Amino acid sequence: MNVKQQDKLATGVLYTIASLIILVLASLLAFILIQGLPRVTWHFLTTPARSFEAGGGIGIQLFNSFYLLVLAMLISVPLSLGAGIYLSEYAKKNWLTSLIRTSIEILSSLPSVVVGLFGFLIFVIQFKFGFSILSGALVLTVFNLPLLTRNVEESLASISSMQREAGLALGLSRWETVTRIIVPEALPGITTGMILGAGRVFGEAAALIYTAGQSAPALDFTNWNPFYIASPLNPLRPAETLAVHIWKINSEGIMPDAVAVSAGASAVLIIAVLLFNLSARWFGQHLYQKMTSSGKKGA
Amino acid sequence: MATEKIITSKDVHLYYGEREALKGIDLDFMAHEITALIGPSGSGKSTYLRLLNRMNDLIPNIRITGDIRLHGQDIYAPATDIVQLRKEVGMVFQQPNPFPFSIYENVIYGLRLAGEKNKAVLDEVVESSLKAAAVWEETKDVLHQSALSLSGGQQQRVCIARVLAVKPAVILLDEPTSALDPISSSKIEQMLVNLKADYTIIMVTHNMQQAARSSDRTAFFLDGKLVEYSETAKFFTAPDRKESEDYISGRFG
Ligand SMILES: Nc1ncnc2c1ncn2[C@@H]1O[C@H](COP(=O)(O)OP(=O)(O)OP(=O)(O)O)[C@@H](O)[C@H]1O
Ligand SMILES: [Mg+2]
């Protein structure tokens, strides 16, 4: 076999593997969507679930998922930015920072069910937050923070050190160089990582079962006072999310249309996660073009 | 022309850990002149140049002794404002390193961060800096395109314009043309000669012709020591030291 034939063979093998992966993904998607989409109507997306009779929706779960996501990101985005900037730009190389890095690595590889049980013991029991949005958001932060921090650190580290020297040599302070040159340059990568993280959080179930809880009490969408018990914004109410709902229906659902509800909810979840992923790519590229003002003319 | 010493350095030693990279340098620079620093690879030219705007400060385990003054002020005194120093002493690197922003933004970035908002002022600075850096004609119609879309030579001149916009007194250049083609190099060389009226220029170069053509004085480094420092015309025709002569004639380095 000569080099050319080898090359052809290798290319062929790689193409086969790639198409296999795509095929698996596509059929999985098709299966979930074909099963679930017929169920997805406006009514399904907006009405509360029903436990015993057919015709329930996923309105509250959907709202809970987004609310938890927003809260979790509100906590973890600034924290991960701070930690990532510190690790990449300021931390000296010594035993302490390498300990921090190792801890982050270990944290990011913990199974989410373990993180969930930890959250149960700490937030639910110890801090007495109960099964609540707050416990859920905190545990999602624990789950998400290490990955986001690493993403920020790596995005920053990928910017050439020549750019830092250029900034400093122009008489910018260290802080100005980091925040006005390095972070903007790394922003596309950082944003992509954040959106992907959001998708991961949105689809997370195991970490939430024992923290945000498995019940979705009726909400009063006319009262947005966060201190009102049935307010959608009340952070201390239990809040079953979409992903938890799917798990629960499949393990103990007793409504007659459980299979259809589960299929519909799965379709919605998959679509949402797909949207996160696609928008991450689009947004990252868009932002990069904007930052580098390549393409269209700026103002 | 009466020349004034703008930077003075006395008995400068620099250690990277245990290794002594500069072994007692005495070197003074005249205002409104171009000084070329030459010498074989590893002789300490970049190390010395980066002392002058304190770019070496971030390197761990570095030790610096001696006395370096700008306008008579000790730049290594504890009270020195490093950020201010670097506004006075700008630097251009070997590899063009524009920010991945538009050409316009590249030039005014420092000013904008300093709080200048007046568009008329910014426009004026962009035009005068790009003109002084001899890259205005090529960029005036594409100011809002990415600086990365320019050629290497154009990028390097935009980087020089970016430094000029801050209005430093001294400009340090570390092999500014070694990554460029001969035509771009000679454009930059010519431009530097034109900038002499307003700036003091200190340039590391491996290009003997460039040093001989454009500089007023030449400092020859060898193995962390300053071997010879004299007027360029004299240095290249009648050097005092045997090592200088050997180096010019290409016998080592
Ligand atoms: N960050 C550093 N850490 C340790 N040693 C260094 C560092 N930078 C330079 N050196 C050493 O100091 C000596 C002088 O290096 P320097 O970069 O100043 O040489 P140079 O004259 O600029 O050479 P070139 O012409 O190749 O750029 C070299 O032996 C080099 O190995
Ligand atoms: Mg060098």
Side-chain angles (χ1 to χ4, degrees), chain A residues 98-153:
Chain A
S98 86
L99 185 73
I100 296 179
R101 283 206 178 80
T102 314
S103 316
I104 290 179
E105 227 150 85
I106 294 173
L107 259 181
S108 66
S109 55
L110 280 186
S112 58
V113 73
V114 174
V115 178
L117 285 173
F118 163 81
F120 173 71
L121 291 175
I122 298 293
F123 304 126
V124 178
I125 308 282
Q126 187 72 29
F127 291 170
K128 302 196 171 65
F129 293 156
F131 291 124
S132 64
I133 296 261
L134 185 60
S135 304
L138 290 173
V139 90
L140 285 180
T141 303
V142 175
F143 171 68
N144 210 17
L145 198 55
L147 287 155
L148 290 190
T149 303
R150 278 193 62 168
N151 166 257
V152 173
E153 186 189 352

Side-chain angles (χ1 to χ4, degrees), chain A residues 7-298:
Chain A
D7 188 52
K8 255 193 178 149
L9 186 73
T11 317
V13 170
L14 290 179
Y15 271 128
T16 315
I17 296 175
S19 8
L20 267 177
I21 295 173
I22 294 174
L23 196 72
V24 171
L25 185 69
S27 44
L28 205 73
L29 269 180
F31 177 77
I32 294 173
L33 292 180
I34 291 169
Q35 294 273 306
L37 273 185
R39 175 77 190 209
V40 180
T41 58
W42 185 244
H43 177 82
F44 179 70
L45 291 177
T46 51
T47 47
R50 291 187 186 169
S51 305
F52 308 109
E53 59 270 43
I58 53 168
I60 293 177
Q61 283 79 5
L62 200 55
F63 176 84
N64 286 343
S65 287
F66 277 108
Y67 187 31
L68 256 177
L69 174 68
V70 170
L71 279 188
M73 295 308 275
L74 273 181
I75 307 173
S76 48
V77 166
L79 283 180
S80 63
L81 272 176
I85 289 175
Y86 170 74
L87 285 176
S88 159
E89 305 296 322
Y90 288 93
K92 297 219 166 60
K93 281 203 172 64
N94 55 27
W95 64 270
L96 182 66
T97 53
S98 86
L99 185 73
I100 296 179
R101 283 206 178 80
T102 314
S103 316
I104 290 179
E105 227 150 85
I106 294 173
L107 259 181
S108 66
S109 55
L110 280 186
S112 58
V113 73
V114 174
V115 178
L117 285 173
F118 163 81
F120 173 71
L121 291 175
I122 298 293
F123 304 126
V124 178
I125 308 282
Q126 187 72 29
F127 291 170
K128 302 196 171 65
F129 293 156
F131 291 124
S132 64
I133 296 261
L134 185 60
S135 304
L138 290 173
V139 90
L140 285 180
T141 303
V142 175
F143 171 68
N144 210 17
L145 198 55
L147 287 155
L148 290 190
T149 303
R150 278 193 62 168
N151 166 257
V152 173
E153 186 189 352
E154 275 164 19
S155 301
L156 292 174
S158 73
I159 306 296
S160 150
S161 66
M162 293 198 315
Q163 295 287 323
R164 291 177 184 82
E165 293 204 320
L168 294 175
L170 275 182
L172 306 186
S173 68
R174 188 100 177 268
W175 178 244
E176 283 173 329
T177 304
V178 170
T179 53
R180 306 301 290 276
I181 294 173
I182 307 304
V183 171
E185 282 188 37
L187 208 54
I190 294 176
T191 319
T192 306
M194 298 278 177
I195 300 179
L196 289 176
R200 206 169 42 231
V201 161
F202 194 83
E204 177 56 32
L208 291 175
I209 293 171
Y210 298 109
T211 50
Q214 307 168 35
S215 60
L219 298 180
D220 178 358
F221 281 95
T222 59
N223 188 333
W224 293 84
N225 177 356
F227 300 106
Y228 171 58
I229 182 73
S231 161
L233 294 186
N234 187 333
L236 289 176
R237 66 183 173 83
E240 183 191 39
T241 64
L242 199 55
V244 173
H245 190 53
I246 295 171
W247 168 79
K248 192 155 163 238
I249 299 173
N250 282 297
S251 52
E252 53 190 57
I254 45 172
M255 56 286 249
D257 57 351
V259 174
V261 171
S262 156
S266 306
V268 172
L269 189 67
I270 277 281
I271 289 172
V273 171
L274 269 182
L275 281 181
F276 278 116
N277 282 269
L278 293 178
S279 65
R281 298 193 65 165
W282 177 84
F283 203 71
Q285 273 166 7
H286 181 75
L287 209 60
Y288 186 74
Q289 273 169 10
K290 222 178 140 151
M291 294 305 309
T292 59
S293 55
S294 55
K296 272 192 237 113
K297 281 200 170 185

